Amino acid sequence: GAVVSQHPSRVICKSGTSVKIECRSLDFQATTMFWYRQFPKKSLMLMATSNEGSKATYEQGVEKDKFLINHASLTLSTLTVTSAHPEDSSFYICSAASDTQYFGPGTRLTVL
Amino acid sequence: AQSVTQPDIHITVSEGASLELRCNYSYGATPYLFWYVQSPGQGLQLLLKYFSGDTLVQGIKGFEAEFKRSQSSFNLRKPSVHWSDAAEYFCAVGSNAGGTSYGKLTFGQGTILTVHP
């Protein structure tokens, strides 16, 4: 149990376009989901906390207008990277909270 | 603010040897502590967690960790390493936000484990 999926697993886009990443809890409901960013050979950095039915809470230094988070249901949260630029290229990982945090497999974003 | 330090960036061991990965944390209250493992290009898999009670915690894949409050440590151990254990390991500390076990997690820098045959 406690499976979290992410889609897509890998995406390449042109600079200036927007990209949406989905995070789903497959076998449990999660009122809280988290979005992390991981740079190469670096640790995970929490970007925001996503709560179902309310606005996301962003960590200091994370642009809320650039990284749009929507938690439309108890099993789905989406992260949209708007007007993506090469510096947004990274590995994005979500987690869904149940008895603990369960992590998705990650999405590799490459912005050309 | 909570923080986690993993002093060893890279550790190499021979298959069958014992393993200890170090983790030190800073947290104002009783911490929730976790060890996760990440294979290249993959998400994180929970190995074990400590919330309260017995300070020696057993996890999956033969791993265990011991919480030592006096040393602010939560080191991960395995008596005999297998080649499939090669991966990156992250220690994390979490807050018990609202009494839940899934408050914000702060991760250490990670330790890359290489296993020689």
Side-chain angles (χ1 to χ4, degrees):
Chain A
V3 177
V4 177
S5 70
Q6 277 184 247
H7 179 79
S9 58
R10 189 179 294 267
V11 57
I12 301 173
C13 69
K14 293 182 178 180
S15 185
T17 61
S18 295
V19 174
K20 180 185 284 188
I21 302 170
E22 293 186 347
C23 177
R24 293 181 185 274
S25 56
L26 298 184
D27 49 3
F28 65 101
Q29 294 183 331
T31 54
T32 303
M33 292 184 175
F34 300 88
W35 286 96
Y36 296 83
R37 182 173 179 176
Q38 186 177 31
F39 293 96
K41 301 188 184 302
K42 296 286 187 182
S43 186
L44 282 77
M45 180 192 77
L46 178 64
M47 298 175 65
T49 302
S50 169
N51 294 297
E52 187 268 339
S54 64
K55 291 184 179 180
T57 304
Y58 291 82
E59 294 300 300
Q60 191 172 12
V62 178
E63 299 177 61
K64 59 181 66 177
D65 293 330
K66 180 164 190 64
F67 298 100
L68 300 179
I69 291 173
N70 183 273
H71 197 148
S73 75
L74 289 171
T75 59
L76 173 65
S77 176
T78 59
L79 168 68
T80 301
V81 183
T82 62
S83 187
H85 290 283
E87 57 266 31
D88 298 324
S89 298
S90 193
F91 194 55
Y92 293 87
I93 304 177
C94 73
S95 71
S98 176
D99 57 319
T100 185
Q101 286 190 38
Y102 294 94
F103 286 80
T107 296
R108 172 75 59 194
L109 171 63
T110 303
V111 184
L112 302 176
Chain B
Q2 58 199 49
S3 66
V4 178
T5 301
Q6 293 179 244
D8 305 305
I9 296 174
H10 196 165
I11 282 184
T12 300
V13 299
S14 297
E15 190 168 18
S18 63
L19 172 70
E20 181 169 35
L21 302 182
R22 296 184 291 165
C23 172
N24 293 98
Y25 68 89
S26 174
Y27 189 67
T30 300
Y32 286 5
L33 295 161
F34 307 80
W35 274 100
Y36 288 89
V37 60
Q38 184 181 35
S39 297
Q42 301 296 314
L44 277 70
Q45 181 182 23
L46 179 67
L47 287 176
L48 47 78
K49 60 189 178 186
Y50 171 79
F51 291 164
S52 64
D54 192 347
T55 56
L56 185 61
V57 181
Q58 301 297 320
I60 62 171
K61 304 185 179 186
F63 286 94
E64 66 177 26
E66 185 170 14
F67 170 57
K68 293 186 177 180
R69 184 187 298 275
S70 62
Q71 298 177 20
S72 297
S73 70
F74 189 57
N75 295 348
L76 182 71
R77 300 193 294 249
K78 186 169 184 177
S80 178
V81 171
H82 189 263
W83 64 267
S84 60
D85 293 324
E88 188 161 16
Y89 292 80
F90 291 95
C91 180
V93 62
S95 62
N96 56 339
T100 68
S101 60
Y102 50 76
K104 290 190 210 177
L105 292 182
T106 299
F107 286 85
Q109 303 91 320
T111 298
I112 298 172
L113 174 65
T114 298
V115 180
H116 280 166

